[in-house]
Structure formats: structure tokens, C-alpha cells
């Protein structure tokens, strides 16, 4: 899991250790295990938010861990053309390469440690595929796609892209030097990530060395979720065990605690976690397939607009299947 690494973590800015006499540590409300499934043309995913109430996730809606899978030559798969309206997709690549394209002419390529932030807003058509050379050669593929809801006032915003290179993330060290913290969006201890968001959120990838503990200061008006990408450890002051494919939901407070077990799986030498949180929107949610709106009537309208070609046209040489996929 290379993402973005550093040769000498001691040169990075260090996150201040919160004062336990002042800071309120967040308790763990729940730990859930993501079920496995398949997405798009058949790549494996873990449904990170399955079984968690949307009220605890707000402003987030959906998250898939894509892979980790080692493809043989000819095996890499992507998604067909599909529509989106009313939210943002955030695709974070840890290993491998993904190409993306939309009906407005936007697109690009993301690879190790890069993030593609797509605001669907009023709507567009989109496709994600591995490049031809990766299909031919095969290789490792591992990433995460997060759906971020948009407030009612921004659901009709014009679509936009942000291609965030891994090296642009704010790189920090825990106070003891045992954890590498990558801030992709939002702020941690006064250090800002490069992502620009409509809904105020923070998105962080942390690598915690065996036996080390990470305590992050966290916005008190944000919710807090920690998902395990690899490895095993504990979460919260309660030191609840959690492992790859599990999500911890926290209650209110000012800090988040995770710790890596001394013994890690052979193929996963560290505890890697995705830490996300945001200010809840607290608006009604009506969603079906690739549309996330406030009312059922708006969802029906989105389907009608898609069928009428109002979300854009697919460039020549591509075709669109009749099935609308549930995500991506």
C-alpha cells in the first residue's frame, strides 16, 4: 500500500498531543464489518457503510473499498458509462491506475496516492476504466470511492473536477513519530489538505506503525468515522479491536484514538486507516441508484432527465448499457 510515503518521517510537522484535561475523547458507538460484493464490470468491493444509519454517516452516503486485488493480464475491469446527480464522488487510489472521463469533456488519470474529486451537482455521465496497458499487463488495484452529499442549495451546482496529486496532500507525523498522516481535505491541527469541498469535511489517510498510537484532534461539530484499509488494532479509549474491512463510528468529542497491534498480518505490515468526518447537513435524503436528492419527486425527475439525454451525451465510440448501477 504505497499511496504516498516518506523516507524520513521525523522531518514532517508533528501533530500536537491534545491535552487530556481539556479535550473530550470520542467514544466508539459501533464497529461494523463491510460485506463483500462486485461493482461495475466485476471488480471486487467492500461496502464500508453497510448496516450504518445514514444519520450517523451524514454528510456521507456511501463508500466502497475497491480491491485490494492482483489482476492477471486481461482481467482489470472498470465501470460502464453511468449518470450522477446531487452529490460528489471522491476516488482515492492507493495502488494501480484509473482513467476517468465524463460527458462534459472532463477527465484524467489518477494513480498511487492521487484523488479524483468529482462534483456531479446538476448531473453528468461518467466512466471509470483501467488504462489499456494495465488491462494488457495486469497488476495491483486498490482504491476507495466515497460519496459526499451536497446540501440542497448546491445540488444544482455546475459539475466540476479536482485532480489532487498525492504529493499535494499535507503530510504530518503523529506526536511520537509512529504514524504518517496524509490530509487530503479539511484540516488537522491547523494543517490544511488541498481538497475543496462544498460540505465542510475532513478526509485523512493514516499509516500507524505496529505498537504505535494515533490521537487526532477532530472538529467537535463534525461526525467521525474510521475505516480500516489494512492491518489490525484497536479504536477508542475503550481499545475495541478492529481490523481490515471494519468501520468504527464515534460519538461526540474533540479527539479520535486508534492504535496498531504489535502483531500485523504478513502482507499488511502496518495499520492503515481512512479517517473521515464532516458537518452534518441534516436535510431529507431521497436516493435511488446514482441519484441523491431531497425528495422522491426529484429522484424521479433525475431518471427522466437521464432518459431524455439531459445529463449529457456519451462521446462517439462508446456505448451505454441499459442497467443503472448502484454506485460509482
Amino acid at each position: 500500500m504505497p499511496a504516498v510515503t516518506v523516507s524520513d518521517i521525523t522531518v514532517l510537522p508533528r501533530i500536537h498531543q491534545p491535552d487530556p484535561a481539556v479535550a473530550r475523547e470520542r467514544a466508539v458507538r459501533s464497529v461494523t464489518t463491510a460485506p463483500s460484493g462486485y461493482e461495475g464490470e466485476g471488480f471486487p468491493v467492500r461496502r464500508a457503510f453497510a448496516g450504518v444509519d445514514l444519520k450517523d454517516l451524514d454528510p456521507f452516503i456511501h463508500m466502497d473499498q475497491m480491491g485490494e486485488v492482483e489482476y492477471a493480464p486481461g482481467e482489470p475491469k472498470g465501470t460502464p458509462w453511468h449518470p450522477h446527480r446531487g452529490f460528489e464522488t471522491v476516488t482515492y487510489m492507493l495502488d494501480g491506475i484509473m482513467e476517468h472521463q465524463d460527458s462534459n469533456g472532463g477527465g484524467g488519470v489518477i494513480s498511487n496516492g492521487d484523488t479524483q474529486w468529482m462534483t456531479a451537482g446538476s448531473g453528468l455521465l461518467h466512466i471509470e476504466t483501467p488504462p489499456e496497458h494495465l488491462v494488457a499487463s495486469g497488476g495491483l488495484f486498490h482504491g476507495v470511492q466515497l460519496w459526499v452529499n451536497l446540501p440542497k442549495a448546491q445540488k444544482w451546482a455546475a459539475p466540476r473536477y479536482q485532480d489532487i496529486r498525492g504529493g499535494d496532500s499535507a503530510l504530518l507525523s503523529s506526536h511520537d513519530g509512529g504514524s504518517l498522516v496524509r490530509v487530503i481535505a479539511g484540516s488537522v491541527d491547523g494543517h490544511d489538505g488541498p481538497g475543496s469541498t462544498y460540505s465542510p469535511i475532513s478526509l485523512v489517510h493514516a499509516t500507524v506503525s505496529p505498537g504505535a498510537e494515533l490521537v487526532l484532534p477532530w472538529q467537535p461539530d463534525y461526525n467521525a468515522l474510521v475505516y480500516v484499509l489494512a492491518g489490525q488494532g484497536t479504536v477508542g479509549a475503550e481499545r475495541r479491536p478492529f481490523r481490515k474491512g471494519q468501520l468504527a463510528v464515534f460519538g461526540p468529542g474533540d479527539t479520535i484514538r486508534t492504535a496498531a497491534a504489535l502483531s500485523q498480518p504478513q502482507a499488511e505490515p502496518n495499520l492503515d486507516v481512512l479517517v473521515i468526518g464532516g458537518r452534518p447537513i441534516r436535510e431529507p435524503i431521497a436516493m435511488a441508484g446514482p441519484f441523491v436528492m431531497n425528495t422522491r419527486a426529484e429522484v424521479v425527475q433525475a431518471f427522466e432527465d437521464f432518459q431524455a439525454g439531459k445529463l449529457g451525451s456519451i462521446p462517439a465510440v462508446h456505448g451505454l448499457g441499459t442497467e443503472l448501477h448502484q454506485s460509482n
Side-chain angles (χ1 to χ4, degrees):
M1 185 178 296
V4 176
T5 58
V6 295
S7 57
D8 184 3
I9 197 171
T10 63
V11 303
L12 297 178
R14 298 209 173 192
I15 298 169
H16 295 97
Q17 180 79 330
D19 182 354
V22 178
R24 296 177 302 142
E25 186 158 344
R26 291 177 181 244
V28 177
R29 283 182 174 169
S30 65
V31 174
T32 53
T33 301
S36 298
Y38 291 90
E39 187 51 72
E41 296 174 341
F43 58 84
V45 297
R46 287 185 174 91
R47 307 289 193 196
F49 292 165
V52 181
D53 194 304
L54 279 175
K55 291 180 181 178
D56 288 331
L57 300 175
D58 187 11
F60 309 105
I61 303 162
H62 173 90
M63 190 168 80
D64 279 342
Q65 181 180 10
M66 306 178 293
E68 184 174 5
V69 59
E70 182 78 40
Y71 282 120
E75 284 188 341
K77 300 174 177 68
T79 68
W81 283 93
H82 52 280
H84 288 304
R85 173 180 280 177
F87 65 104
E88 300 180 288
T89 63
V90 182
T91 306
Y92 176 48
M93 290 298 298
L94 291 100
D95 293 288
I97 306 172
M98 181 70 80
E99 294 180 340
H100 52 96
Q101 183 181 7
D102 71 26
S103 53
N104 292 334
V109 179
I110 53 173
S111 59
N112 299 343
D114 296 341
T115 302
Q116 178 244 310
W117 203 297
M118 185 185 77
T119 302
S122 59
L124 45 62
L125 304 181
H126 187 238
I127 189 171
E128 296 156 312
T129 57
E132 290 183 7
H133 69 84
L134 183 61
V135 174
S137 66
L140 187 61
F141 181 88
H142 189 196
V144 173
Q145 186 170 95
L146 172 68
W147 289 15
V148 186
N149 196 12
L150 285 170
K152 182 179 180 64
Q154 274 81 49
K155 285 192 180 293
W156 299 96
R160 71 173 184 179
Y161 273 112
Q162 299 172 70
D163 278 332
I164 301 169
R165 299 304 161 197
D168 293 335
S169 298
L171 301 180
L172 310 173
S173 166
S174 58
H175 77 283
D176 61 358
S179 304
L180 172 62
V181 177
R182 310 161 186 85
V183 185
I184 300 168
S187 180
V188 172
D189 197 30
H191 300 275
D192 298 332
S196 174
T197 70
Y198 280 102
S199 301
I201 71 167
S202 290
L203 173 61
V204 173
H205 172 199
T207 300
V208 187
S209 301
E213 189 169 67
L214 174 64
V215 180
L216 285 178
W218 207 247
Q219 283 276 124
D221 58 338
Y222 284 15
N223 64 350
L225 312 167
V226 176
Y227 178 76
V228 184
L229 296 165
Q232 59 192 14
T234 63
V235 62
E238 313 93 313
R239 301 191 181 278
R240 291 184 62 170
F242 75 156
R243 54 180 169 75
K244 182 177 181 176
Q246 291 190 317
L247 176 79
V249 177
F250 288 81
D254 305 306
T255 63
I256 300 170
R257 182 185 301 268
T258 59
L262 277 171
S263 177
Q264 297 291 334
Q266 185 173 0
E268 300 169 357
N270 302 296
L271 172 68
D272 273 272
V273 295
L274 204 64
V275 188
I276 62 175
R279 186 175 300 143
I281 297 172
R282 296 190 177 96
E283 292 178 351
I285 295 176
M287 56 188 297
F291 305 124
V292 182
M293 308 303 292
N294 295 111
T295 68
R296 177 173 175 76
E298 290 172 334
V299 172
V300 171
Q301 184 65 55
F303 275 100
E304 291 176 350
D305 288 348
F306 164 63
Q307 292 165 352
K310 294 181 180 179
L311 299 190
S313 301
I314 300 165
V317 314
H318 293 286
L320 177 65
T322 57
E323 180 183 358
L324 288 181
H325 292 264
Q326 292 299 306
S327 68
N328 280 15

